[in-house]
Amino acid sequence: MKKIIWPGLLVVTLALSACSKTQDSKEIENSADQASTQAEAPLVPSNIAVGDTAESSLDWAGEYTGTFPCADCEGIKIELELNSDKTYELSEEYISTSKSTEVHTKGSFSFDASKPSIITLDEKGENRKFFVGENYLEARDIQTGDKIDSNLNYTLTKN
């Protein structure tokens, strides 16, 4: 009788062992699937808008230069330096045959929440607006931030 019980017990033990291994491997697979799903999920909190903006995707900090048209002079040489801490330095040189005048302004700027490619200088910079593009700035309408309807050049290029 002992000979019959021993092989039966061995079969039952192996069967139970196989079941527990199947269960363990299923738990491991489920854990791996959960880890994979979590790794694929974005690491951005749900309350933050996802998308590229000029502020987040362009290298906007730096010095921009150009010459803007002028109604009563030959032109206005502009140097606008945007710093990564959202401060700026603006130099304007009014070019004239009789006399050149230079004005320097320092202040801060902000990116427009409704038009994220537009920056607005503070009151010291007369609330001027600029479109931020790849390696250039373009002066915009101060009231609306829309493009200035003109054939004249209002673009500053990054140095």
Side-chain angles (χ1 to χ4, degrees):
M1 180 120 185
K2 287 182 180 179
K3 290 182 180 179
I4 296 173
I5 293 176
W6 175 246
L9 186 59
L10 183 61
V11 169
V12 169
T13 304
L14 288 173
L16 290 174
S17 172
C19 288
S20 70
K21 286 183 182 174
T22 303
Q23 182 63 29
D24 289 344
S25 66
K26 285 183 181 176
E27 288 175 8
I28 291 170
E29 286 177 20
N30 287 342
S31 296
D33 287 345
Q34 288 175 351
S36 171
T37 302
Q38 290 172 351
E40 293 170 6
L43 300 175
V44 179
S46 61
N47 63 344
I48 295 178
V50 178
D52 289 338
T53 64
E55 181 177 9
S56 66
S57 64
L58 295 178
D59 182 23
W60 49 264
E63 186 177 305
Y64 298 82
T65 58
T67 302
F68 283 179
C70 179
D72 56 357
C73 67
E74 294 177 28
I76 307 168
K77 282 188 181 178
I78 307 280
E79 289 182 15
L80 177 56
E81 184 172 352
L82 301 179
N83 301 308
S84 58
D85 64 355
K86 296 186 182 170
T87 59
Y88 70 88
E89 291 185 39
L90 174 65
S91 295
E92 301 171 279
E93 182 182 354
Y94 293 80
I95 305 164
S96 174
T97 53
S98 61
K99 177 182 165 185
S100 291
T101 307
E102 203 164 330
V103 178
H104 296 281
T105 308
K106 292 183 180 184
S108 62
F109 67 91
S110 60
F111 282 86
D112 190 310
S114 62
K115 294 181 180 181
S117 293
I118 302 291
I119 61 167
T120 304
L121 304 184
D122 60 8
E123 289 181 12
K124 296 174 194 170
E126 300 172 348
N127 299 311
R128 286 182 252 191
K129 295 183 185 304
F130 291 88
F131 173 84
V132 180
E134 186 71 39
N135 295 318
Y136 74 95
L137 299 176
E138 182 180 74
R140 292 295 177 105
D141 182 274
I142 290 177
Q143 301 300 316
T144 64
D146 293 339
K147 188 170 182 157
I148 298 171
D149 187 21
S150 172
N151 292 331
L152 302 174
N153 183 12
Y154 289 99
T155 303
L156 302 175
T157 55
K158 189 172 184 181
N159 297 339

